[in-house]
Protein backbone atom coordinates (compact mmCIF):
# COMPACT_ATOMS: atom_id res chain seq x y z
CA UNK A 1 0.00 0.00 0.00
CA UNK A 2 1.13 3.54 -0.69
CA UNK A 3 0.69 4.69 2.91
CA UNK A 4 2.89 1.98 4.39
CA UNK A 5 5.52 2.47 1.70
CA UNK A 6 5.74 6.21 2.22
CA UNK A 7 5.74 5.74 6.00
CA UNK A 8 9.17 4.14 5.81
CA UNK A 9 10.49 5.77 2.63
CA UNK A 10 10.01 9.42 3.54
CA UNK A 11 12.09 9.34 6.76
CA UNK A 12 14.85 7.42 4.96
CA UNK A 13 14.86 9.85 2.03
CA UNK A 14 14.96 12.79 4.44
CA UNK A 15 17.94 11.29 6.29
CA UNK A 16 19.76 10.55 3.02
CA UNK A 17 19.20 14.09 1.80
CA UNK A 18 20.14 15.67 5.13
CA UNK A 19 23.36 13.65 5.24
CA UNK A 20 24.22 14.87 1.77
CA UNK A 21 23.40 18.59 1.86
CA UNK A 22 26.88 19.57 0.70
CA UNK A 23 27.36 16.66 -1.71
CA UNK A 24 29.68 14.99 0.79
CA UNK A 25 28.43 11.60 -0.33
CA UNK A 26 28.47 11.62 -4.12
CA UNK A 27 26.92 8.61 -5.78
CA UNK A 28 29.31 5.73 -6.01
CA UNK A 29 28.79 3.04 -8.58
CA UNK A 30 27.55 -0.21 -7.13
CA UNK A 31 27.21 1.17 -3.60
CA UNK A 32 23.61 2.06 -2.74
CA UNK A 33 22.86 3.71 0.61
CA UNK A 34 19.49 1.99 1.12
CA UNK A 35 18.26 -1.48 0.18
CA UNK A 36 14.53 -2.19 0.12
CA UNK A 37 14.21 -5.96 -0.05
CA UNK A 38 10.87 -7.30 -1.29
CA UNK A 39 9.61 -10.81 -2.06
CA UNK A 40 7.96 -10.14 -5.43
CA UNK A 41 8.57 -8.06 -8.51
CA UNK A 42 5.00 -6.77 -8.33
CA UNK A 43 5.66 -5.25 -4.91
CA UNK A 44 9.03 -3.97 -6.16
CA UNK A 45 7.23 -2.21 -9.01
CA UNK A 46 4.77 -0.58 -6.59
CA UNK A 47 7.53 0.67 -4.29
CA UNK A 48 9.65 1.93 -7.16
CA UNK A 49 6.66 3.86 -8.50
CA UNK A 50 6.60 5.78 -5.20
CA UNK A 51 10.36 6.44 -5.31
CA UNK A 52 10.51 8.01 -8.75
CA UNK A 53 8.67 11.08 -7.50
CA UNK A 54 11.19 11.66 -4.69
CA UNK A 55 14.40 13.72 -5.04
CA UNK A 56 16.83 10.80 -4.91
CA UNK A 57 18.19 8.27 -7.36
CA UNK A 58 16.61 4.84 -7.22
CA UNK A 59 16.69 1.58 -9.11
CA UNK A 60 14.46 -1.47 -9.37
CA UNK A 61 16.20 -4.85 -9.68
CA UNK A 62 13.90 -7.81 -10.23
CA UNK A 63 13.22 -10.58 -12.70
CA UNK A 64 11.44 -9.35 -15.79
CA UNK A 65 13.54 -6.19 -15.99
CA UNK A 66 16.62 -5.70 -18.13
CA UNK A 67 19.69 -6.98 -16.32
CA UNK A 68 21.95 -4.91 -18.61
CA UNK A 69 20.06 -1.70 -17.80
CA UNK A 70 20.27 -2.53 -14.09
CA UNK A 71 24.05 -2.96 -14.35
CA UNK A 72 24.42 0.37 -16.17
CA UNK A 73 22.35 2.18 -13.55
CA UNK A 74 24.25 0.52 -10.70
CA UNK A 75 27.54 1.65 -12.23
CA UNK A 76 26.23 5.23 -12.33
CA UNK A 77 25.23 4.98 -8.68
CA UNK A 78 21.91 4.93 -6.85
CA UNK A 79 20.74 6.03 -3.43
CA UNK A 80 17.94 3.49 -3.00
CA UNK A 81 17.90 0.01 -4.48
CA UNK A 82 14.59 -1.89 -4.51
CA UNK A 83 15.26 -5.54 -5.18
CA UNK A 84 14.05 -9.08 -4.83
CA UNK A 85 16.44 -11.36 -2.92
CA UNK A 86 17.52 -13.46 -5.90
CA UNK A 87 18.21 -10.47 -8.14
CA UNK A 88 20.11 -8.62 -5.41
CA UNK A 89 22.28 -11.69 -4.76
CA UNK A 90 22.95 -12.06 -8.49
CA UNK A 91 24.26 -8.49 -8.62
CA UNK A 92 26.40 -9.09 -5.51
CA UNK A 93 27.86 -12.30 -6.96
CA UNK A 94 28.61 -10.57 -10.28
CA UNK A 95 30.31 -7.69 -8.45
CA UNK A 96 27.74 -5.08 -9.48
CA UNK A 97 26.73 -4.24 -5.89
CA UNK A 98 28.77 -3.83 -2.73
CA UNK A 99 27.15 -3.38 0.66
CA UNK A 100 29.84 -1.33 2.42
CA UNK A 101 27.94 1.94 1.94
CA UNK A 102 24.50 0.70 2.97
CA UNK A 103 22.95 2.65 5.83
CA UNK A 104 19.38 1.40 5.65
CA UNK A 105 17.87 -2.02 5.08
CA UNK A 106 14.10 -2.34 4.71
CA UNK A 107 12.43 -5.75 4.70
CA UNK A 108 9.04 -5.11 3.15
CA UNK A 109 6.63 -7.99 3.69
CA UNK A 110 9.08 -9.41 6.22
CA UNK A 111 6.76 -12.31 6.99
CA UNK A 112 7.22 -13.57 3.42
CA UNK A 113 10.94 -12.78 3.28
CA UNK A 114 11.52 -14.77 6.47
CA UNK A 115 9.24 -17.61 5.39
CA UNK A 116 10.37 -20.89 3.88
CA UNK A 117 10.57 -19.62 0.30
CA UNK A 118 12.98 -16.70 0.90
CA UNK A 119 14.50 -17.46 4.31
CA UNK A 120 17.90 -18.67 3.08
CA UNK A 121 18.41 -15.74 0.70
CA UNK A 122 17.19 -13.19 3.26
CA UNK A 123 19.53 -14.54 5.94
CA UNK A 124 22.42 -14.49 3.49
CA UNK A 125 21.75 -10.85 2.64
CA UNK A 126 21.37 -9.87 6.29
CA UNK A 127 24.68 -11.59 6.99
CA UNK A 128 26.35 -9.47 4.31
CA UNK A 129 25.25 -6.22 5.89
CA UNK A 130 25.64 -7.23 9.53
CA UNK A 131 27.86 -4.97 11.59
CA UNK A 132 28.09 -1.96 9.28
CA UNK A 133 25.98 0.32 11.46
CA UNK A 134 22.81 0.33 9.43
CA UNK A 135 19.23 0.97 10.45
CA UNK A 136 16.63 -1.68 9.68
CA UNK A 137 12.91 -1.16 9.10
CA UNK A 138 10.49 -4.03 8.80
CA UNK A 139 7.26 -3.51 6.90
CA UNK A 140 4.17 -4.95 8.56
CA UNK A 141 2.30 -7.66 6.73
CA UNK A 142 -1.02 -6.63 5.22
CA UNK A 143 -4.12 -7.04 7.37
CA UNK A 144 -6.28 -9.73 5.75
CA UNK A 145 -9.59 -8.50 4.37
CA UNK A 146 -12.30 -8.41 6.99
CA UNK A 147 -9.88 -8.47 9.93
CA UNK A 148 -10.13 -5.46 12.18
CA UNK A 149 -7.15 -3.70 13.71
CA UNK A 150 -8.25 -4.72 17.22
CA UNK A 151 -8.40 -8.38 16.21
CA UNK A 152 -4.87 -8.24 14.88
CA UNK A 153 -3.60 -6.60 18.11
CA UNK A 154 -5.40 -9.19 20.23
CA UNK A 155 -3.90 -12.01 18.18
CA UNK A 156 -0.39 -10.66 18.63
CA UNK A 157 -0.58 -10.37 22.42
Amino acid sequence: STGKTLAYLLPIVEMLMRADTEQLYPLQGGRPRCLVLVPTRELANQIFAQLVSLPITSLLCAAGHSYVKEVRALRSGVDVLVATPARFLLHVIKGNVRTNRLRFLVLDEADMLCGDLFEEETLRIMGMVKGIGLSTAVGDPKVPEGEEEGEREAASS
Side-chain angles (χ1 to χ4, degrees):
S1 73
T2 301
K4 178 184 76 172
T5 302
L6 289 176
Y8 68 74
L9 281 179
L10 290 178
I12 290 172
V13 169
E14 179 189 7
M15 287 183 264
L16 290 174
M17 290 175 58
R18 193 174 23 184
D20 200 16
T21 56
E22 297 177 19
Q23 298 297 316
L24 299 175
Y25 301 101
L27 293 176
Q28 294 180 6
R31 293 184 172 108
R33 295 191 290 160
C34 175
L35 170 62
V36 180
L37 200 61
V38 297
T40 66
R41 70 176 170 202
E42 291 79 15
L43 182 56
N45 285 324
Q46 291 173 14
I47 293 168
F48 184 72
Q50 297 298 311
L51 280 167
V52 295
S53 64
L54 301 175
I56 54 165
T57 58
S58 55
L59 176 64
L60 167 60
C61 292
H65 294 271
S66 169
Y67 175 80
V68 173
K69 288 180 182 178
E70 291 173 2
V71 171
R72 284 186 196 135
L74 285 167
R75 287 182 182 155
S76 297
V78 297
D79 291 310
V80 179
L81 177 60
V82 180
T84 56
R87 193 60 154 236
F88 178 75
L89 288 172
L90 175 64
H91 282 295
V92 169
I93 290 167
K94 296 289 188 179
N96 302 322
V97 173
R98 284 178 262 165
T99 59
N100 63 329
R101 203 160 171 240
L102 270 178
R103 292 298 164 251
F104 300 96
L105 170 64
V106 177
L107 302 179
D108 200 314
E109 300 295 335
D111 57 334
M112 287 182 66
L113 287 170
C114 295
D116 292 339
L117 191 58
F118 298 102
E119 179 181 22
E120 185 178 323
E121 293 168 327
T122 301
L123 290 174
R124 185 171 173 199
I125 292 166
M126 292 181 76
M128 289 176 192
V129 300
K130 186 172 118 182
I132 60 171
L134 56 82
S135 301
T136 306
V138 179
D140 287 334
K142 295 177 186 161
V143 177
E145 280 188 42
E147 187 174 299
E148 298 298 321
E149 183 68 27
E151 292 176 44
R152 183 173 65 157
E153 288 176 9
S156 65
S157 29

Short mmCIF file of all heavy atoms in Angstrom, two decimals, residues 22-82:
data_model
loop_
_atom_site.label_atom_id
_atom_site.label_comp_id
_atom_site.label_asym_id
_atom_site.label_seq_id
_atom_site.Cartn_x
_atom_site.Cartn_y
_atom_site.Cartn_z
N GLU A 22 25.75 18.91 1.36
CA GLU A 22 26.88 19.57 0.70
C GLU A 22 27.57 18.63 -0.28
O GLU A 22 28.75 18.77 -0.56
CB GLU A 22 27.87 20.06 1.75
CG GLU A 22 27.26 21.11 2.66
CD GLU A 22 28.21 21.54 3.75
OE1 GLU A 22 29.43 21.33 3.61
OE2 GLU A 22 27.73 22.10 4.74
N GLN A 23 26.82 17.64 -0.76
CA GLN A 23 27.36 16.66 -1.71
C GLN A 23 28.60 15.96 -1.14
O GLN A 23 29.56 15.69 -1.86
CB GLN A 23 27.68 17.32 -3.06
CG GLN A 23 26.46 17.90 -3.74
CD GLN A 23 25.43 16.86 -4.10
OE1 GLN A 23 25.76 15.80 -4.59
NE2 GLN A 23 24.17 17.14 -3.83
N LEU A 24 28.57 15.69 0.16
CA LEU A 24 29.68 14.99 0.79
C LEU A 24 29.69 13.51 0.42
O LEU A 24 30.71 12.85 0.54
CB LEU A 24 29.59 15.13 2.32
CG LEU A 24 29.67 16.57 2.84
CD1 LEU A 24 29.45 16.58 4.34
CD2 LEU A 24 31.00 17.19 2.49
N TYR A 25 28.55 13.01 0.02
CA TYR A 25 28.43 11.60 -0.33
C TYR A 25 28.00 11.47 -1.78
O TYR A 25 26.86 11.13 -2.08
CB TYR A 25 27.42 10.89 0.57
CG TYR A 25 27.77 10.96 2.03
CD1 TYR A 25 27.16 11.86 2.88
CD2 TYR A 25 28.74 10.12 2.54
CE1 TYR A 25 27.48 11.92 4.22
CE2 TYR A 25 29.08 10.16 3.88
CZ TYR A 25 28.45 11.06 4.72
OH TYR A 25 28.78 11.12 6.03
N PRO A 26 28.88 11.76 -2.72
CA PRO A 26 28.47 11.62 -4.12
C PRO A 26 28.13 10.16 -4.43
O PRO A 26 28.63 9.25 -3.76
CB PRO A 26 29.71 12.08 -4.89
CG PRO A 26 30.84 11.92 -3.95
CD PRO A 26 30.28 12.11 -2.57
N LEU A 27 27.29 9.97 -5.39
CA LEU A 27 26.92 8.61 -5.78
C LEU A 27 28.16 7.82 -6.15
O LEU A 27 29.05 8.33 -6.84
CB LEU A 27 25.95 8.65 -6.96
CG LEU A 27 24.58 9.25 -6.68
CD1 LEU A 27 23.78 9.32 -7.98
CD2 LEU A 27 23.84 8.45 -5.65
N GLN A 28 28.20 6.61 -5.67
CA GLN A 28 29.31 5.73 -6.01
C GLN A 28 28.74 4.51 -6.69
O GLN A 28 27.82 3.88 -6.17
CB GLN A 28 30.08 5.33 -4.75
CG GLN A 28 30.80 6.47 -4.09
CD GLN A 28 31.56 6.04 -2.86
OE1 GLN A 28 31.64 4.86 -2.54
NE2 GLN A 28 32.12 6.99 -2.16
N GLY A 29 29.28 4.18 -7.83
CA GLY A 29 28.79 3.04 -8.58
C GLY A 29 28.79 1.76 -7.75
O GLY A 29 29.77 1.45 -7.09
N GLY A 30 27.66 1.07 -7.79
CA GLY A 30 27.55 -0.21 -7.13
C GLY A 30 27.44 -0.16 -5.62
O GLY A 30 27.52 -1.19 -4.96
N ARG A 31 27.26 1.04 -5.06
CA ARG A 31 27.21 1.17 -3.60
C ARG A 31 25.98 1.98 -3.17
O ARG A 31 26.10 3.13 -2.80
CB ARG A 31 28.47 1.84 -3.09
CG ARG A 31 29.70 0.99 -3.28
CD ARG A 31 30.91 1.68 -2.66
NE ARG A 31 32.04 0.80 -2.67
CZ ARG A 31 33.08 0.96 -3.47
NH1 ARG A 31 33.12 1.95 -4.32
NH2 ARG A 31 34.09 0.13 -3.41
N PRO A 32 24.81 1.34 -3.18
CA PRO A 32 23.61 2.06 -2.74
C PRO A 32 23.66 2.35 -1.24
O PRO A 32 24.37 1.68 -0.49
CB PRO A 32 22.47 1.09 -3.06
CG PRO A 32 23.12 -0.25 -3.07
CD PRO A 32 24.53 -0.03 -3.55
N ARG A 33 22.90 3.37 -0.81
CA ARG A 33 22.86 3.71 0.61
C ARG A 33 21.65 3.10 1.31
O ARG A 33 21.61 3.05 2.53
CB ARG A 33 22.87 5.22 0.78
CG ARG A 33 24.18 5.83 0.29
CD ARG A 33 24.33 7.26 0.68
NE ARG A 33 23.39 8.11 -0.05
CZ ARG A 33 23.04 9.33 0.35
NH1 ARG A 33 23.52 9.83 1.45
NH2 ARG A 33 22.21 10.05 -0.37
N CYS A 34 20.68 2.63 0.54
CA CYS A 34 19.49 1.99 1.12
C CYS A 34 19.09 0.82 0.24
O CYS A 34 19.07 0.94 -0.99
CB CYS A 34 18.35 3.00 1.21
SG CYS A 34 16.79 2.29 1.79
N LEU A 35 18.78 -0.30 0.88
CA LEU A 35 18.26 -1.48 0.18
C LEU A 35 16.86 -1.76 0.70
O LEU A 35 16.66 -1.91 1.90
CB LEU A 35 19.15 -2.69 0.42
CG LEU A 35 18.60 -4.05 -0.06
CD1 LEU A 35 18.38 -4.06 -1.57
CD2 LEU A 35 19.55 -5.17 0.36
N VAL A 36 15.90 -1.78 -0.21
CA VAL A 36 14.53 -2.19 0.12
C VAL A 36 14.37 -3.58 -0.48
O VAL A 36 14.33 -3.73 -1.70
CB VAL A 36 13.48 -1.21 -0.45
CG1 VAL A 36 12.07 -1.69 -0.09
CG2 VAL A 36 13.73 0.19 0.06
N LEU A 37 14.31 -4.57 0.38
CA LEU A 37 14.21 -5.96 -0.05
C LEU A 37 12.75 -6.38 -0.03
O LEU A 37 12.05 -6.18 0.97
CB LEU A 37 15.03 -6.84 0.89
CG LEU A 37 15.44 -8.21 0.40
CD1 LEU A 37 16.34 -8.10 -0.83
CD2 LEU A 37 16.17 -8.96 1.50
N VAL A 38 12.28 -6.92 -1.15
CA VAL A 38 10.87 -7.30 -1.29
C VAL A 38 10.78 -8.71 -1.88
O VAL A 38 11.67 -9.13 -2.61
CB VAL A 38 10.11 -6.31 -2.19
CG1 VAL A 38 10.08 -4.93 -1.57
CG2 VAL A 38 10.71 -6.24 -3.57
N PRO A 39 9.70 -9.43 -1.57
CA PRO A 39 9.61 -10.81 -2.06
C PRO A 39 9.18 -10.96 -3.51
O PRO A 39 9.50 -11.97 -4.13
CB PRO A 39 8.57 -11.44 -1.12
CG PRO A 39 7.75 -10.30 -0.63
CD PRO A 39 8.67 -9.11 -0.60
N THR A 40 8.48 -9.98 -4.07
CA THR A 40 7.96 -10.14 -5.43
C THR A 40 8.26 -8.94 -6.31
O THR A 40 8.40 -7.82 -5.82
CB THR A 40 6.42 -10.34 -5.42
OG1 THR A 40 5.81 -9.14 -4.94
CG2 THR A 40 6.01 -11.52 -4.55
N ARG A 41 8.33 -9.17 -7.60
CA ARG A 41 8.57 -8.06 -8.51
C ARG A 41 7.38 -7.12 -8.57
O ARG A 41 7.54 -5.93 -8.82
CB ARG A 41 8.97 -8.55 -9.89
CG ARG A 41 7.89 -9.20 -10.67
CD ARG A 41 8.35 -9.56 -12.05
NE ARG A 41 7.35 -10.41 -12.69
CZ ARG A 41 7.60 -11.20 -13.67
NH1 ARG A 41 8.81 -11.28 -14.17
NH2 ARG A 41 6.65 -11.92 -14.21
N GLU A 42 6.18 -7.63 -8.34
CA GLU A 42 5.00 -6.77 -8.33
C GLU A 42 5.10 -5.74 -7.22
O GLU A 42 4.84 -4.55 -7.43
CB GLU A 42 3.72 -7.61 -8.17
CG GLU A 42 3.39 -8.48 -9.37
CD GLU A 42 4.22 -9.77 -9.44
OE1 GLU A 42 4.86 -10.15 -8.43
OE2 GLU A 42 4.23 -10.39 -10.52
N LEU A 43 5.49 -6.18 -6.03
CA LEU A 43 5.66 -5.25 -4.91
C LEU A 43 6.83 -4.30 -5.20
O LEU A 43 6.76 -3.11 -4.90
CB LEU A 43 5.89 -6.02 -3.61
CG LEU A 43 6.05 -5.17 -2.35
CD1 LEU A 43 4.85 -4.25 -2.14
CD2 LEU A 43 6.25 -6.08 -1.14
N ALA A 44 7.89 -4.82 -5.79
CA ALA A 44 9.03 -3.97 -6.16
C ALA A 44 8.59 -2.87 -7.11
O ALA A 44 8.99 -1.71 -6.96
CB ALA A 44 10.13 -4.82 -6.79
N ASN A 45 7.75 -3.20 -8.08
CA ASN A 45 7.23 -2.21 -9.01
C ASN A 45 6.43 -1.13 -8.29
O ASN A 45 6.55 0.06 -8.59
CB ASN A 45 6.36 -2.87 -10.09
CG ASN A 45 7.18 -3.61 -11.12
OD1 ASN A 45 8.26 -3.18 -11.50
ND2 ASN A 45 6.65 -4.73 -11.58
N GLN A 46 5.59 -1.54 -7.34
CA GLN A 46 4.77 -0.58 -6.59
C GLN A 46 5.65 0.38 -5.79
O GLN A 46 5.42 1.59 -5.77
CB GLN A 46 3.82 -1.32 -5.65
CG GLN A 46 2.72 -2.09 -6.35
CD GLN A 46 1.93 -2.93 -5.36
OE1 GLN A 46 2.01 -2.77 -4.15
NE2 GLN A 46 1.14 -3.85 -5.89
N ILE A 47 6.64 -0.16 -5.12
CA ILE A 47 7.53 0.67 -4.29
C ILE A 47 8.34 1.62 -5.17
O ILE A 47 8.47 2.80 -4.87
CB ILE A 47 8.43 -0.21 -3.42
CG1 ILE A 47 7.58 -0.95 -2.39
CG2 ILE A 47 9.52 0.61 -2.75
CD1 ILE A 47 8.30 -2.05 -1.66
N PHE A 48 8.86 1.10 -6.25
CA PHE A 48 9.65 1.93 -7.16
C PHE A 48 8.82 3.08 -7.72
O PHE A 48 9.31 4.19 -7.88
CB PHE A 48 10.24 1.08 -8.28
CG PHE A 48 11.14 1.84 -9.19
CD1 PHE A 48 12.40 2.25 -8.76
CD2 PHE A 48 10.74 2.17 -10.47
CE1 PHE A 48 13.25 2.98 -9.59
CE2 PHE A 48 11.58 2.89 -11.32
CZ PHE A 48 12.83 3.30 -10.87
N ALA A 49 7.55 2.81 -7.99
CA ALA A 49 6.66 3.86 -8.50
C ALA A 49 6.55 5.02 -7.50
O ALA A 49 6.42 6.18 -7.91
CB ALA A 49 5.28 3.29 -8.80
N GLN A 50 6.62 4.73 -6.22
CA GLN A 50 6.60 5.78 -5.20
C GLN A 50 7.93 6.54 -5.17
O GLN A 50 7.97 7.73 -4.93
CB GLN A 50 6.33 5.17 -3.82
CG GLN A 50 4.99 4.51 -3.69
CD GLN A 50 3.86 5.50 -3.90
OE1 GLN A 50 3.86 6.57 -3.31
NE2 GLN A 50 2.93 5.15 -4.76
N LEU A 51 9.03 5.83 -5.39
CA LEU A 51 10.36 6.44 -5.31
C LEU A 51 10.66 7.42 -6.44
O LEU A 51 11.38 8.39 -6.23
CB LEU A 51 11.43 5.36 -5.30
CG LEU A 51 11.68 4.66 -3.97
CD1 LEU A 51 12.53 3.42 -4.17
CD2 LEU A 51 12.35 5.62 -3.00
N VAL A 52 10.14 7.16 -7.61
CA VAL A 52 10.51 8.01 -8.75
C VAL A 52 10.07 9.45 -8.58
O VAL A 52 10.64 10.34 -9.22
CB VAL A 52 10.00 7.43 -10.10
CG1 VAL A 52 10.66 6.11 -10.42
CG2 VAL A 52 8.49 7.32 -10.13
N SER A 53 9.11 9.70 -7.72
CA SER A 53 8.67 11.08 -7.50
C SER A 53 9.48 11.79 -6.41
O SER A 53 9.28 12.97 -6.17
CB SER A 53 7.18 11.10 -7.13
OG SER A 53 6.99 10.44 -5.89
N LEU A 54 10.39 11.08 -5.78
CA LEU A 54 11.19 11.66 -4.69
C LEU A 54 12.54 12.13 -5.21
O LEU A 54 13.06 11.60 -6.20
CB LEU A 54 11.35 10.63 -3.57
CG LEU A 54 10.04 10.13 -2.95
CD1 LEU A 54 10.31 9.03 -1.94
CD2 LEU A 54 9.27 11.27 -2.32
N PRO A 55 13.15 13.10 -4.54
CA PRO A 55 14.40 13.72 -5.04
C PRO A 55 15.67 12.93 -4.75
O PRO A 55 16.64 13.46 -4.23
CB PRO A 55 14.41 15.07 -4.32
CG PRO A 55 13.73 14.79 -3.03
CD PRO A 55 12.66 13.79 -3.35
N ILE A 56 15.65 11.66 -5.08
CA ILE A 56 16.83 10.80 -4.91
C ILE A 56 16.93 9.89 -6.13
O ILE A 56 15.98 9.77 -6.90
CB ILE A 56 16.73 9.93 -3.63
CG1 ILE A 56 15.43 9.14 -3.66
CG2 ILE A 56 16.85 10.75 -2.38
CD1 ILE A 56 15.39 8.02 -2.68
N THR A 57 18.06 9.23 -6.27
CA THR A 57 18.19 8.27 -7.36
C THR A 57 17.80 6.90 -6.84
O THR A 57 18.16 6.53 -5.73
CB THR A 57 19.62 8.23 -7.91
OG1 THR A 57 20.51 7.88 -6.85
CG2 THR A 57 20.01 9.55 -8.52
N SER A 58 17.07 6.17 -7.65
CA SER A 58 16.61 4.84 -7.22
C SER A 58 16.64 3.89 -8.40
O SER A 58 16.67 4.31 -9.56
CB SER A 58 15.21 4.92 -6.61
OG SER A 58 14.32 5.52 -7.52
N LEU A 59 16.63 2.61 -8.08
CA LEU A 59 16.69 1.58 -9.11
C LEU A 59 15.89 0.38 -8.66
O LEU A 59 15.92 0.01 -7.48
CB LEU A 59 18.15 1.16 -9.38
CG LEU A 59 18.38 0.02 -10.36
CD1 LEU A 59 17.91 0.41 -11.77
CD2 LEU A 59 19.83 -0.39 -10.38
N LEU A 60 15.22 -0.24 -9.60
CA LEU A 60 14.46 -1.47 -9.37
C LEU A 60 15.23 -2.63 -9.99
O LEU A 60 15.58 -2.58 -11.18
CB LEU A 60 13.08 -1.34 -10.01
CG LEU A 60 12.23 -2.60 -10.15
CD1 LEU A 60 11.94 -3.23 -8.80
CD2 LEU A 60 10.94 -2.26 -10.86
N CYS A 61 15.51 -3.65 -9.20
CA CYS A 61 16.20 -4.85 -9.68
C CYS A 61 15.34 -6.07 -9.37
O CYS A 61 15.22 -6.47 -8.21
CB CYS A 61 17.56 -5.01 -9.01
SG CYS A 61 18.76 -3.77 -9.48
N ALA A 62 14.75 -6.63 -10.41
CA ALA A 62 13.90 -7.81 -10.23
C ALA A 62 13.80 -8.54 -11.56
O ALA A 62 14.04 -7.95 -12.62
CB ALA A 62 12.51 -7.39 -9.75
N ALA A 63 13.43 -9.80 -11.49
CA ALA A 63 13.22 -10.58 -12.70
C ALA A 63 12.19 -9.88 -13.57
O ALA A 63 11.28 -9.23 -13.06
CB ALA A 63 12.75 -11.99 -12.34
N GLY A 64 12.36 -9.99 -14.87
CA GLY A 64 11.44 -9.35 -15.79
C GLY A 64 11.90 -7.97 -16.22
O GLY A 64 11.29 -7.35 -17.09
N HIS A 65 12.97 -7.48 -15.60
CA HIS A 65 13.54 -6.19 -15.99
C HIS A 65 14.91 -6.45 -16.63
O HIS A 65 15.53 -7.48 -16.38
CB HIS A 65 13.69 -5.28 -14.76
CG HIS A 65 12.38 -4.89 -14.18
ND1 HIS A 65 11.68 -3.78 -14.59
CD2 HIS A 65 11.61 -5.47 -13.23
CE1 HIS A 65 10.55 -3.71 -13.93
NE2 HIS A 65 10.48 -4.73 -13.09
N SER A 66 15.37 -5.52 -17.40
CA SER A 66 16.62 -5.70 -18.13
C SER A 66 17.82 -5.72 -17.18
O SER A 66 18.12 -4.71 -16.52
CB SER A 66 16.79 -4.57 -19.15
OG SER A 66 18.10 -4.60 -19.68
N TYR A 67 18.49 -6.84 -17.15
CA TYR A 67 19.69 -6.98 -16.32
C TYR A 67 20.76 -5.99 -16.77
O TYR A 67 21.42 -5.35 -15.94
CB TYR A 67 20.21 -8.42 -16.39
CG TYR A 67 21.51 -8.64 -15.67
CD1 TYR A 67 21.53 -8.81 -14.29
CD2 TYR A 67 22.72 -8.67 -16.36
CE1 TYR A 67 22.72 -9.01 -13.61
CE2 TYR A 67 23.91 -8.86 -15.69
CZ TYR A 67 23.90 -9.03 -14.32
OH TYR A 67 25.09 -9.23 -13.64
N VAL A 68 20.93 -5.82 -18.06
CA VAL A 68 21.95 -4.91 -18.61
C VAL A 68 21.67 -3.48 -18.18
O VAL A 68 22.58 -2.75 -17.76
CB VAL A 68 22.02 -5.03 -20.15
CG1 VAL A 68 22.94 -3.97 -20.74
CG2 VAL A 68 22.47 -6.43 -20.56
N LYS A 69 20.41 -3.06 -18.24
CA LYS A 69 20.06 -1.70 -17.80
C LYS A 69 20.29 -1.54 -16.30
O LYS A 69 20.71 -0.47 -15.85
CB LYS A 69 18.61 -1.38 -18.15
CG LYS A 69 18.40 -1.17 -19.63
CD LYS A 69 16.95 -0.84 -19.95
CE LYS A 69 16.77 -0.68 -21.45
NZ LYS A 69 15.36 -0.41 -21.80
N GLU A 70 20.01 -2.59 -15.53
CA GLU A 70 20.27 -2.53 -14.09
C GLU A 70 21.76 -2.33 -13.82
O GLU A 70 22.14 -1.50 -13.00
CB GLU A 70 19.79 -3.82 -13.40
CG GLU A 70 18.30 -3.99 -13.38
CD GLU A 70 17.85 -5.34 -12.85
OE1 GLU A 70 18.71 -6.17 -12.47
OE2 GLU A 70 16.64 -5.58 -12.83
N VAL A 71 22.60 -3.07 -14.53
CA VAL A 71 24.05 -2.96 -14.35
C VAL A 71 24.52 -1.55 -14.69
O VAL A 71 25.30 -0.96 -13.95
CB VAL A 71 24.81 -4.01 -15.20
CG1 VAL A 71 26.30 -3.75 -15.19
CG2 VAL A 71 24.50 -5.42 -14.70
N ARG A 72 24.04 -1.00 -15.79
CA ARG A 72 24.42 0.37 -16.17
C ARG A 72 24.03 1.38 -15.08
O ARG A 72 24.81 2.26 -14.74
CB ARG A 72 23.76 0.76 -17.49
CG ARG A 72 24.42 0.12 -18.68
CD ARG A 72 23.82 0.67 -19.97
NE ARG A 72 24.19 -0.21 -21.07
CZ ARG A 72 23.37 -0.62 -22.01
NH1 ARG A 72 22.11 -0.22 -22.03
NH2 ARG A 72 23.78 -1.42 -22.96
N ALA A 73 22.81 1.25 -14.58
CA ALA A 73 22.35 2.18 -13.55
C ALA A 73 23.14 2.00 -12.26
O ALA A 73 23.50 2.99 -11.60
CB ALA A 73 20.86 1.97 -13.29
N LEU A 74 23.45 0.77 -11.90
CA LEU A 74 24.25 0.52 -10.70
C LEU A 74 25.63 1.15 -10.84
O LEU A 74 26.16 1.71 -9.88
CB LEU A 74 24.37 -0.98 -10.43
CG LEU A 74 23.11 -1.63 -9.85
CD1 LEU A 74 23.22 -3.15 -9.93
CD2 LEU A 74 22.87 -1.17 -8.43
N ARG A 75 26.22 1.06 -12.01
CA ARG A 75 27.54 1.65 -12.23
C ARG A 75 27.51 3.17 -12.10
O ARG A 75 28.49 3.78 -11.68
CB ARG A 75 28.09 1.25 -13.60
CG ARG A 75 28.53 -0.19 -13.63
CD ARG A 75 29.10 -0.58 -14.97
NE ARG A 75 29.47 -1.98 -14.97
CZ ARG A 75 29.54 -2.72 -16.05
NH1 ARG A 75 29.31 -2.20 -17.25
NH2 ARG A 75 29.87 -3.99 -15.96
N SER A 76 26.38 3.78 -12.46
CA SER A 76 26.23 5.23 -12.33
C SER A 76 26.02 5.64 -10.88
O SER A 76 26.31 6.76 -10.51
CB SER A 76 25.04 5.71 -13.16
OG SER A 76 25.27 5.46 -14.51
N GLY A 77 25.48 4.72 -10.09
CA GLY A 77 25.23 4.98 -8.68
C GLY A 77 23.78 5.26 -8.39
O GLY A 77 23.11 5.95 -9.16
N VAL A 78 23.29 4.71 -7.30
CA VAL A 78 21.91 4.93 -6.85
C VAL A 78 21.90 5.11 -5.34
O VAL A 78 22.75 4.55 -4.64
CB VAL A 78 20.96 3.79 -7.26
CG1 VAL A 78 20.84 3.67 -8.76
CG2 VAL A 78 21.37 2.47 -6.66
N ASP A 79 20.92 5.88 -4.87
CA ASP A 79 20.74 6.03 -3.43
C ASP A 79 19.96 4.86 -2.86
O ASP A 79 20.34 4.28 -1.85
CB ASP A 79 19.98 7.32 -3.11
CG ASP A 79 20.79 8.57 -3.41
OD1 ASP A 79 21.95 8.63 -2.95
OD2 ASP A 79 20.28 9.46 -4.09
N VAL A 80 18.84 4.52 -3.51
CA VAL A 80 17.94 3.49 -3.00
C VAL A 80 17.80 2.39 -4.04
O VAL A 80 17.46 2.66 -5.20
CB VAL A 80 16.55 4.06 -2.65
CG1 VAL A 80 15.62 2.97 -2.15
CG2 VAL A 80 16.68 5.17 -1.61
N LEU A 81 18.03 1.18 -3.62
CA LEU A 81 17.90 0.01 -4.48
C LEU A 81 16.73 -0.82 -3.97
O LEU A 81 16.72 -1.23 -2.81
CB LEU A 81 19.19 -0.81 -4.44
CG LEU A 81 19.22 -2.12 -5.23
CD1 LEU A 81 18.98 -1.85 -6.71
CD2 LEU A 81 20.55 -2.82 -5.02
N VAL A 82 15.74 -1.03 -4.82
CA VAL A 82 14.59 -1.89 -4.51
C VAL A 82 14.84 -3.19 -5.26
O VAL A 82 15.00 -3.18 -6.48
CB VAL A 82 13.26 -1.25 -4.98
CG1 VAL A 82 12.09 -2.17 -4.65
CG2 VAL A 82 13.07 0.12 -4.36
#
